[in-house]
Amino acid sequence: MSGTLRCVRPSLCLPLRRFHNAKSAPHVRFSSGREATASTENVQAPSSSSSKSPLGQDRYNALLKTKGNLYPRLDNKDFIPLGDFDAKFGHFKEGETDENIEVLVRGRVNSLRLSGSKLLFIDLVQEGHRVQGLCNLAKLSYAGISTTQFTDFAHSIRRGDIYEIKGHPHKTARGQSTVLATGLPKLLAPCLHDLPTLFESEQSRIRYRHVDLLVNERPADILRLRANIIEYIRSTLQSSGYIEMQTPILAKNAGGAIARPFQTAAVEFPDRYVALRTAPELWLKRLILAGFDRVFEIGPCFRNEGIANSSFMQEKYQSLPKLEVKFNNPFPQIDFFAGLNTALRRPLPDLSAPDAEDQLKQLFHDHDIKLPKLPTLPRLLDRLSSLYLESQCNEPTWITHYPECLSPLSKSFVDPDTKQRVAARAELFIQGREYVNTYEEENSPFEQRRKFVEQL
């Protein structure tokens, strides 16, 4: 395997190293020294017989000779975060510079561009924000920077390094927020592994998630969006009088959901197993019984089912509520029975009838729908919902008035329109996936038992 690499610095254009035993290499490794790679997908670990120094050691030793302390302490005088730079100086006109202000910015080097022999552009990124640094030899010479020093610096800086740049705020003719350096940028931490410019292999992205977040903007943006959504949910619930709780993750029984749990053993209790929780539901309900009116929890749950073994859940409970799904905008609603009656072009049978299950099986046969495994009444209805209702929910959509047999944990009533027994429950679907499940809790132990028995 050989090829040519287009490097960040135009002066470098090196052949990729030929690796041996590529098929048997246990994992991907980034090349060291000056042999950068544009993608990790074709780069494999070298053979075990290699006698070269450890990865990154050559660069570390070289930098140590020229720069001394590679991990200095920080001085926050005049420091401004990259996210605040645009907010403070974004009003500058194109070509404007304020030489009366000196700022200090820090970030990871995302790209480098040499223009001739006297201009070096450095893009710094941090927390999703980007600011350009401009090192102009003509300006730096007034600060005592020689051509040799400038050239050595331009050849030592690497993509992935963390630098700080001190200078004057400026906006370029193209409207780019820039710091005009008044001295050579200072290295705060070198990147000893060459950072790829492309990182698209799914296996590599999962294995090296930190590199994926550095190289690809979308995964990092999703994490930031997730944090904002969680914070919004938390603040909304707290403003409505809910108290955030933290319930046990390890317990004797997982409880709270029909799911296979993870089991392990504790050193203090070697004779019994403990399980990771599958849902916080039972703990939160106990808090309601203990007298807390409104409680919620946002946290992880663990279900031993397939590859995706953990999920992040938010559950909230309120004593003495009445469920009312009333939204002026923007979410439409689909009534479970009305929606299926329309899609199937025939009404569903009376689900309280003794032969309701047989009638549904006949409906499956008439519409050439494959029966689910163990075709019980709840599973038949759930299959119809998945095929005809949830598939309609590309935009955020509520599905309401679920059959009683699909919601044994919720209160139920007779729908005056369909005459069917329905649950006081609604679910929000987006792009065919469930995001919210809300219902009035069935607090009668006798009704609860009846509904569970009917599912057996």
Side-chain angles (χ1 to χ4, degrees):
M1 177 186 70
S2 64
T4 301
L5 173 67
R6 297 187 181 275
C7 297
V8 175
R9 296 191 298 285
S11 59
L12 293 181
C13 197
L14 305 176
L16 293 177
R17 175 169 38 178
R18 185 182 300 274
F19 291 107
H20 302 286
N21 301 327
K23 293 183 178 180
S24 61
H27 59 274
V28 173
R29 177 177 290 176
F30 302 117
S31 62
S32 61
R34 304 184 71 176
E35 297 174 333
T37 175
S39 173
T40 61
E41 296 180 50
N42 296 321
V43 181
Q44 301 291 342
S47 62
S48 58
S49 61
S50 174
S51 59
K52 293 190 175 183
S53 58
L55 196 62
Q57 188 68 48
D58 290 341
R59 185 175 187 231
Y60 175 80
N61 293 336
L63 289 173
L64 201 59
K65 293 177 182 178
T66 59
K67 295 184 178 296
N69 186 8
L70 303 184
Y71 304 93
R73 296 187 64 193
L74 303 181
D75 182 0
N76 287 329
K77 182 181 179 182
D78 301 323
F79 169 69
I80 179 171
L82 297 189
D84 296 342
F85 188 88
D86 255 336
K88 194 169 184 179
F89 305 110
H91 63 279
F92 279 21
K93 297 178 181 177
E94 293 177 355
E96 181 180 353
T97 305
D98 191 341
E99 295 185 351
N100 296 318
I101 300 177
E102 191 170 58
V103 297
L104 179 69
V105 296
R106 300 186 185 114
R108 186 181 297 276
V109 177
N110 185 65
S111 65
L112 299 163
R113 299 180 302 282
L114 267 175
S115 179
S117 59
K118 296 184 178 181
L119 290 178
L120 175 63
F121 297 89
I122 306 170
D123 282 344
L124 297 183
V125 294
Q126 192 69 23
E127 282 294 325
H129 302 283
R130 184 187 303 265
V131 171
Q132 177 179 259
L134 172 57
C135 298
N136 186 342
L137 180 57
K139 299 280 187 182
L140 294 177
S141 61
Y142 292 110
I145 306 300
S146 67
T147 301
T148 301
Q149 288 175 311
F150 182 85
T151 303
D152 289 344
F153 169 76
H155 283 81
S156 67
I157 187 171
R158 295 285 184 87
R159 185 169 182 267
D161 290 345
I162 297 177
Y163 270 85
E164 68 176 20
I165 303 176
K166 180 173 286 190
H168 305 302
H170 169 75
K171 179 167 283 190
T172 66
R174 296 184 177 181
Q176 175 70 48
S177 295
T178 304
V179 177
L180 295 181
T182 54
L184 288 179
K186 181 180 179 181
L187 177 64
L188 301 180
C191 180
L192 301 180
H193 300 251
D194 289 308
L195 197 60
T197 55
L198 293 176
F199 204 66
E200 298 175 346
S201 166
E202 285 297 323
Q203 184 177 8
S204 297
R205 290 179 61 193
I206 293 172
R207 185 176 297 168
Y208 302 104
R209 181 61 74 186
H210 58 296
V211 180
D212 182 30
L213 295 172
L214 279 174
V215 175
N216 299 314
E217 293 184 358
R218 179 174 171 77
D221 288 341
I222 290 175
L223 284 184
R224 294 187 184 97
L225 176 61
R226 174 183 180 273
N228 290 335
I229 292 174
I230 291 173
E231 180 58 31
Y232 180 81
I233 293 173
R234 176 179 284 112
S235 61
T236 299
L237 291 174
Q238 289 176 338
S239 65
S240 300
Y242 284 83
I243 301 175
E244 184 171 10
M245 297 293 185
Q246 184 174 350
T247 62
I249 290 181
L250 273 175
K252 181 180 179 181
N253 298 309
I258 303 175
R260 181 184 300 149
F262 286 96
Q263 290 186 324
T264 185
V267 175
E268 294 296 325
F269 310 104
D271 58 335
R272 63 186 182 190
Y273 286 106
V274 291
L276 288 169
R277 72 179 181 191
T278 56
E281 179 176 335
L282 296 180
W283 296 105
L284 293 175
K285 289 178 178 178
R286 291 183 181 113
L287 288 168
I288 292 292
L289 291 175
F292 289 90
D293 185 52
R294 301 180 181 192
V295 295
F296 77 97
E297 181 172 8
I298 301 175
C301 296
F302 306 89
R303 300 181 179 187
N304 194 0
E305 299 170 347
I307 297 177
N309 290 319
S310 64
S311 60
F312 201 79
M313 299 180 67
Q314 177 266 321
E315 291 197 17
K316 69 182 182 72
Y317 293 88
Q318 176 184 351
S319 63
L320 306 177
K322 181 178 180 181
L323 179 64
E324 295 183 17
V325 182
K326 294 182 179 180
F327 293 92
N328 295 325
N329 278 314
F331 303 154
Q333 300 180 32
I334 298 177
D335 181 280
F336 188 97
F337 284 94
L340 284 181
N341 292 345
T342 301
L344 296 169
R345 298 181 181 179
R346 60 190 282 185
L348 290 176
D350 180 5
L351 299 185
S352 61
D355 62 342
E357 184 176 308
D358 293 332
Q359 293 187 59
L360 278 182
K361 290 179 180 178
Q362 183 61 45
L363 186 150
F364 270 65
H365 176 75
D366 295 343
H367 286 77
D368 196 23
I369 304 172
K370 184 179 179 180
L371 290 174
K373 294 181 179 180
L374 299 176
T376 61
L377 186 61
R379 293 188 179 187
L380 292 169
L381 292 169
D382 186 65
R383 176 66 174 158
L384 292 176
S385 175
S386 176
L387 288 175
Y388 295 103
L389 301 184
E390 296 169 17
S391 59
Q392 299 181 40
C393 304
N394 189 43
E395 297 298 320
T397 305
W398 289 98
I399 298 180
T400 63
H401 294 147
Y402 279 87
E404 179 189 69
C405 62
L406 274 180
S407 310
L409 297 177
S410 64
K411 286 183 177 293
S412 55
F413 60 95
V414 176
D415 185 353
D417 295 327
T418 62
K419 309 304 179 185
Q420 301 269 16
R421 288 197 63 83
V422 298
R425 173 193 177 198
E427 288 188 320
L428 178 66
F429 285 84
I430 305 174
Q431 293 184 347
R433 298 179 61 183
E434 176 197 339
Y435 278 80
V436 177
N437 179 26
T438 180
Y439 55 89
E440 292 181 30
E441 188 82 23
E442 178 60 80
N443 60 340
S444 167
F446 305 102
E447 278 295 293
Q448 185 85 91
R449 180 177 178 81
R450 176 186 67 81
K451 294 174 183 178
F452 280 134
V453 168
E454 287 180 354
Q455 287 198 327
L456 296 178

